Short mmCIF file of all heavy atoms in Angstrom, two decimals:
data_model
loop_
_atom_site.label_atom_id
_atom_site.label_comp_id
_atom_site.label_asym_id
_atom_site.label_seq_id
_atom_site.Cartn_x
_atom_site.Cartn_y
_atom_site.Cartn_z
N TYR A 514 -67.33 -15.24 16.32
CA TYR A 514 -68.03 -15.00 15.07
C TYR A 514 -67.21 -14.24 14.03
O TYR A 514 -67.65 -14.07 12.90
CB TYR A 514 -69.36 -14.26 15.32
CG TYR A 514 -69.23 -12.87 15.90
CD1 TYR A 514 -69.17 -11.75 15.06
CD2 TYR A 514 -69.21 -12.67 17.27
CE1 TYR A 514 -69.07 -10.47 15.59
CE2 TYR A 514 -69.12 -11.40 17.80
CZ TYR A 514 -69.05 -10.30 16.96
OH TYR A 514 -68.97 -9.04 17.48
N HIS A 515 -66.00 -13.77 14.42
CA HIS A 515 -65.14 -13.12 13.42
C HIS A 515 -63.72 -13.10 13.95
O HIS A 515 -63.49 -12.94 15.15
CB HIS A 515 -65.62 -11.68 13.15
CG HIS A 515 -64.98 -11.07 11.94
ND1 HIS A 515 -63.83 -10.32 12.01
CD2 HIS A 515 -65.32 -11.12 10.63
CE1 HIS A 515 -63.50 -9.92 10.79
NE2 HIS A 515 -64.39 -10.39 9.93
N THR A 516 -62.74 -13.24 13.04
CA THR A 516 -61.33 -13.27 13.42
C THR A 516 -60.51 -12.44 12.45
O THR A 516 -60.69 -12.52 11.23
CB THR A 516 -60.79 -14.71 13.43
OG1 THR A 516 -61.56 -15.49 14.36
CG2 THR A 516 -59.33 -14.75 13.84
N TYR A 517 -59.61 -11.63 13.00
CA TYR A 517 -58.62 -10.89 12.22
C TYR A 517 -57.23 -11.46 12.51
O TYR A 517 -56.93 -11.82 13.66
CB TYR A 517 -58.61 -9.41 12.59
CG TYR A 517 -59.76 -8.60 12.03
CD1 TYR A 517 -60.76 -8.12 12.87
CD2 TYR A 517 -59.83 -8.31 10.67
CE1 TYR A 517 -61.81 -7.35 12.37
CE2 TYR A 517 -60.87 -7.55 10.15
CZ TYR A 517 -61.86 -7.08 11.01
OH TYR A 517 -62.90 -6.33 10.50
N TYR A 518 -56.39 -11.55 11.47
CA TYR A 518 -55.00 -11.99 11.60
C TYR A 518 -54.09 -10.86 11.15
O TYR A 518 -54.42 -10.11 10.23
CB TYR A 518 -54.72 -13.22 10.74
CG TYR A 518 -55.63 -14.39 10.97
CD1 TYR A 518 -56.81 -14.52 10.23
CD2 TYR A 518 -55.33 -15.37 11.89
CE1 TYR A 518 -57.66 -15.59 10.43
CE2 TYR A 518 -56.17 -16.45 12.09
CZ TYR A 518 -57.33 -16.55 11.36
OH TYR A 518 -58.18 -17.62 11.55
N ALA A 519 -52.92 -10.76 11.77
CA ALA A 519 -51.97 -9.72 11.36
C ALA A 519 -50.55 -10.20 11.60
O ALA A 519 -50.21 -10.63 12.71
CB ALA A 519 -52.22 -8.43 12.13
N LEU A 520 -49.72 -10.15 10.56
CA LEU A 520 -48.28 -10.38 10.68
C LEU A 520 -47.58 -9.03 10.80
O LEU A 520 -47.83 -8.13 9.99
CB LEU A 520 -47.75 -11.14 9.48
CG LEU A 520 -47.93 -12.66 9.48
CD1 LEU A 520 -47.39 -13.26 8.19
CD2 LEU A 520 -47.22 -13.29 10.68
N GLU A 521 -46.72 -8.90 11.81
CA GLU A 521 -46.07 -7.63 12.08
C GLU A 521 -44.55 -7.81 12.08
O GLU A 521 -43.95 -8.06 13.13
CB GLU A 521 -46.55 -7.07 13.42
CG GLU A 521 -48.05 -6.84 13.46
CD GLU A 521 -48.56 -6.53 14.86
OE1 GLU A 521 -48.52 -5.35 15.27
OE2 GLU A 521 -48.96 -7.47 15.55
N PRO A 522 -43.91 -7.71 10.92
CA PRO A 522 -42.45 -7.81 10.88
C PRO A 522 -41.80 -6.50 11.35
O PRO A 522 -42.35 -5.42 11.12
CB PRO A 522 -42.15 -8.06 9.39
CG PRO A 522 -43.31 -7.42 8.68
CD PRO A 522 -44.50 -7.57 9.59
N ARG A 523 -40.66 -6.61 11.99
CA ARG A 523 -39.89 -5.44 12.43
C ARG A 523 -38.41 -5.75 12.28
O ARG A 523 -37.96 -6.84 12.65
CB ARG A 523 -40.23 -5.08 13.89
CG ARG A 523 -41.70 -4.73 14.11
CD ARG A 523 -42.09 -4.68 15.56
NE ARG A 523 -43.53 -4.65 15.72
CZ ARG A 523 -44.17 -4.82 16.87
NH1 ARG A 523 -43.48 -5.04 17.99
NH2 ARG A 523 -45.49 -4.79 16.93
N VAL A 524 -37.67 -4.82 11.73
CA VAL A 524 -36.25 -5.04 11.49
C VAL A 524 -35.51 -3.72 11.69
O VAL A 524 -36.05 -2.64 11.41
CB VAL A 524 -36.00 -5.60 10.07
CG1 VAL A 524 -36.49 -4.63 9.01
CG2 VAL A 524 -34.53 -5.94 9.86
N GLY A 525 -34.30 -3.80 12.21
CA GLY A 525 -33.50 -2.60 12.42
C GLY A 525 -32.02 -2.92 12.37
O GLY A 525 -31.60 -4.07 12.52
N MET A 526 -31.21 -1.89 12.16
CA MET A 526 -29.76 -2.07 12.11
C MET A 526 -29.08 -0.82 12.66
O MET A 526 -29.65 0.27 12.65
CB MET A 526 -29.28 -2.33 10.68
CG MET A 526 -29.57 -1.24 9.65
SD MET A 526 -28.43 0.22 9.67
CE MET A 526 -26.90 -0.56 9.21
N VAL A 527 -27.87 -1.03 13.16
CA VAL A 527 -27.01 0.08 13.58
C VAL A 527 -25.61 -0.20 13.07
O VAL A 527 -25.11 -1.33 13.15
CB VAL A 527 -27.02 0.25 15.12
CG1 VAL A 527 -26.60 -1.04 15.84
CG2 VAL A 527 -26.10 1.39 15.53
N TYR A 528 -24.98 0.83 12.52
CA TYR A 528 -23.60 0.73 12.05
C TYR A 528 -22.79 1.80 12.75
O TYR A 528 -23.06 3.01 12.60
CB TYR A 528 -23.51 0.89 10.54
CG TYR A 528 -22.09 0.74 10.03
CD1 TYR A 528 -21.51 -0.53 9.92
CD2 TYR A 528 -21.32 1.85 9.69
CE1 TYR A 528 -20.21 -0.68 9.47
CE2 TYR A 528 -20.02 1.71 9.24
CZ TYR A 528 -19.46 0.44 9.13
OH TYR A 528 -18.17 0.30 8.69
N LYS A 529 -21.80 1.36 13.54
CA LYS A 529 -20.95 2.31 14.26
C LYS A 529 -19.90 2.88 13.33
O LYS A 529 -19.06 2.15 12.79
CB LYS A 529 -20.29 1.63 15.45
CG LYS A 529 -21.23 1.30 16.61
CD LYS A 529 -20.50 0.70 17.78
CE LYS A 529 -19.51 1.69 18.37
NZ LYS A 529 -18.83 1.15 19.57
N LEU A 530 -19.96 4.19 13.12
CA LEU A 530 -18.94 4.86 12.31
C LEU A 530 -17.66 5.06 13.09
O LEU A 530 -16.58 5.08 12.51
CB LEU A 530 -19.48 6.21 11.83
CG LEU A 530 -20.79 6.16 11.02
CD1 LEU A 530 -21.31 7.57 10.77
CD2 LEU A 530 -20.55 5.45 9.70
N SER A 531 -17.79 5.20 14.40
CA SER A 531 -16.64 5.35 15.30
C SER A 531 -17.13 5.01 16.70
O SER A 531 -18.28 4.61 16.90
CB SER A 531 -16.10 6.78 15.25
OG SER A 531 -17.06 7.70 15.75
N ASP A 532 -16.27 5.17 17.70
CA ASP A 532 -16.67 4.87 19.07
C ASP A 532 -17.76 5.80 19.57
O ASP A 532 -18.47 5.48 20.52
CB ASP A 532 -15.46 4.97 20.01
CG ASP A 532 -14.50 3.80 19.82
OD1 ASP A 532 -14.93 2.78 19.24
OD2 ASP A 532 -13.33 3.92 20.23
N ASN A 533 -17.91 6.96 18.94
CA ASN A 533 -18.90 7.93 19.42
C ASN A 533 -19.90 8.37 18.37
O ASN A 533 -20.53 9.41 18.52
CB ASN A 533 -18.19 9.17 20.02
CG ASN A 533 -17.17 9.74 19.06
OD1 ASN A 533 -17.24 9.52 17.85
ND2 ASN A 533 -16.22 10.50 19.59
N SER A 534 -20.08 7.59 17.31
CA SER A 534 -21.08 7.95 16.30
C SER A 534 -21.59 6.70 15.60
O SER A 534 -20.88 5.69 15.50
CB SER A 534 -20.51 8.93 15.28
OG SER A 534 -19.49 8.32 14.51
N SER A 535 -22.82 6.78 15.10
CA SER A 535 -23.42 5.65 14.39
C SER A 535 -24.56 6.14 13.51
O SER A 535 -25.09 7.24 13.69
CB SER A 535 -23.94 4.59 15.38
OG SER A 535 -25.02 5.10 16.12
N VAL A 536 -24.94 5.29 12.56
CA VAL A 536 -26.15 5.51 11.76
C VAL A 536 -27.07 4.32 11.99
O VAL A 536 -26.61 3.20 12.22
CB VAL A 536 -25.83 5.68 10.26
CG1 VAL A 536 -25.10 6.98 10.01
CG2 VAL A 536 -25.04 4.49 9.73
N LYS A 537 -28.38 4.59 11.94
CA LYS A 537 -29.37 3.53 12.20
C LYS A 537 -30.49 3.63 11.18
O LYS A 537 -30.76 4.69 10.60
CB LYS A 537 -29.96 3.67 13.61
CG LYS A 537 -28.95 3.62 14.74
CD LYS A 537 -29.64 3.74 16.08
CE LYS A 537 -28.66 3.87 17.23
NZ LYS A 537 -29.33 3.97 18.54
N ALA A 538 -31.17 2.50 11.00
CA ALA A 538 -32.37 2.46 10.16
C ALA A 538 -33.27 1.34 10.66
O ALA A 538 -32.77 0.34 11.18
CB ALA A 538 -32.01 2.24 8.70
N ASN A 539 -34.57 1.52 10.53
CA ASN A 539 -35.46 0.43 10.89
C ASN A 539 -36.80 0.53 10.16
O ASN A 539 -37.14 1.57 9.59
CB ASN A 539 -35.66 0.32 12.40
CG ASN A 539 -36.48 1.43 12.99
OD1 ASN A 539 -37.31 2.04 12.34
ND2 ASN A 539 -36.25 1.72 14.27
N TYR A 540 -37.50 -0.58 10.17
CA TYR A 540 -38.86 -0.68 9.63
C TYR A 540 -39.70 -1.43 10.64
O TYR A 540 -39.25 -2.41 11.24
CB TYR A 540 -38.87 -1.44 8.30
CG TYR A 540 -40.23 -1.95 7.91
CD1 TYR A 540 -41.19 -1.11 7.35
CD2 TYR A 540 -40.59 -3.28 8.15
CE1 TYR A 540 -42.45 -1.58 7.03
CE2 TYR A 540 -41.86 -3.76 7.83
CZ TYR A 540 -42.78 -2.90 7.27
OH TYR A 540 -44.03 -3.36 6.95
N ALA A 541 -40.94 -0.98 10.83
CA ALA A 541 -41.83 -1.64 11.78
C ALA A 541 -43.26 -1.58 11.26
O ALA A 541 -43.69 -0.56 10.71
CB ALA A 541 -41.75 -0.98 13.16
N ARG A 542 -43.98 -2.67 11.46
CA ARG A 542 -45.42 -2.70 11.19
C ARG A 542 -46.14 -2.98 12.50
O ARG A 542 -45.81 -3.94 13.20
CB ARG A 542 -45.78 -3.76 10.15
CG ARG A 542 -47.29 -4.01 10.04
CD ARG A 542 -47.64 -4.96 8.94
NE ARG A 542 -47.49 -4.34 7.63
CZ ARG A 542 -47.83 -4.92 6.48
NH1 ARG A 542 -48.31 -6.16 6.49
NH2 ARG A 542 -47.67 -4.30 5.34
N ASN A 543 -47.12 -2.14 12.82
CA ASN A 543 -47.93 -2.31 14.03
C ASN A 543 -49.40 -2.36 13.64
O ASN A 543 -49.83 -1.70 12.69
CB ASN A 543 -47.71 -1.15 15.00
CG ASN A 543 -46.26 -1.02 15.44
OD1 ASN A 543 -45.54 -2.01 15.53
ND2 ASN A 543 -45.82 0.20 15.70
#
Side-chain angles (χ1 to χ4, degrees):
Y514 64 92
H515 193 268
T516 301
Y517 284 110
Y518 305 90
L520 278 178
E521 301 169 85
R523 299 167 194 169
V524 61
M526 60 79 64
V527 56
Y528 182 76
K529 288 183 64 177
L530 303 173
S531 65
D532 288 341
N533 52 22
S534 66
S535 67
V536 291
K537 302 181 187 181
N539 71 26
Y540 162 79
R542 169 175 287 185
N543 301 328

